[in-house]
Amino acid sequence: MQNELTHEGSTFINFRNYEFQDSRSPAFRWVDIKCLRFPRESVGDTELLAALIGHDQFRDDYAGGGVLLEGLRHGPYWVRAVSPDVYEAVGREMSDRILWEWANQFEDVPAELGTDLQREVFDRLAAAEQIYYLSELGDEAHHDWGGVHSDFHEFVLIDRSGGQITLLVAADD
């Protein structure tokens, strides 16, 4: 199945590109969104999650290295530590709350950033038929420099009617 996922594109929202009242607020916060298309034939969520984990686009350390085809890291974790069973199904309300609290943790986001987040993040969450949240995997799953992210929130959005799976990561580093 992983070979049947097609990367359609990515969106990167860098908080430093917006004007905050407190210049320390944006720090190094960002949202990275990777959209992949899957065939419409029916497969279960577990198979879709496994295909995503096995896809090249998943091999991103989110620390400036980008996607590495032979990469061993995914965010703060070793790729080998991530499997479909470490994702928790969550509702839209919970995912919205987690992301808005993270985005507004220092001060309310500027209006322009709020508009961009609504369009690129929250509208995608609203369209998803299923949302999964990557659980904290524990110290043994962190790679050798995995502590670079002070916050790391990962969601996988499945939109079966649109044939799309979206990897959404919001983090600080």
Side-chain angles (χ1 to χ4, degrees):
M1 173 77 198
Q2 74 192 44
N3 295 335
E4 297 181 36
L5 293 181
T6 305
H7 181 238
E8 291 191 312
S10 299
T11 301
F12 188 78
I13 301 173
N14 190 334
F15 280 38
R16 286 184 285 166
N17 295 340
Y18 300 87
E19 191 170 320
F20 283 79
Q21 290 180 3
D22 181 345
S23 63
R24 295 170 295 164
S25 289
F28 294 96
R29 288 187 288 156
W30 45 265
V31 178
D32 187 278
I33 303 163
K34 293 177 172 68
C35 300
L36 298 97
R37 174 95 25 221
F38 62 86
R40 291 189 187 240
E41 56 264 5
S42 196
V43 296
D45 289 358
T46 300
E47 290 82 11
L48 281 174
L49 288 167
L52 177 65
I53 293 164
H55 197 276
D56 296 343
Q57 290 295 312
F58 195 79
R59 298 177 182 288
D60 191 332
D61 58 28
Y62 297 103
V67 174
L68 301 172
L69 300 182
E70 300 298 322
L72 301 175
R73 295 172 181 86
H74 174 74
Y77 304 114
W78 293 110
V79 169
R80 68 177 182 266
V82 184
S83 63
D85 63 328
V86 299
Y87 286 90
E88 172 188 357
V90 295
R92 179 175 174 220
E93 186 176 303
M94 181 178 177
S95 56
D96 281 358
R97 182 180 47 76
I98 289 168
L99 288 167
W100 276 121
E101 286 177 3
W102 168 80
N104 291 306
Q105 65 184 304
F106 300 110
E107 68 177 272
D108 289 346
V109 297
E112 183 182 4
L113 174 55
T115 299
D116 290 347
L117 288 172
Q118 182 63 50
R119 180 185 65 250
E120 298 295 342
V121 174
F122 296 100
D123 288 353
R124 291 178 198 272
L125 287 167
E129 295 160 32
Q130 189 66 40
I131 303 169
Y132 289 93
Y133 185 61
L134 180 64
S135 305
E136 169 58 44
L137 301 182
D139 291 340
E140 67 282 351
H142 282 96
H143 60 69
D144 46 351
W145 45 269
V148 70
H149 301 289
S150 54
D151 282 315
F152 186 85
H153 300 286
E154 177 175 317
F155 296 87
V156 176
L157 318 177
I158 299 175
D159 176 5
R160 289 191 179 281
S161 62
Q164 190 171 69
I165 186 167
T166 302
L167 177 61
L168 189 152
V169 173
D172 306 29
D173 55 31

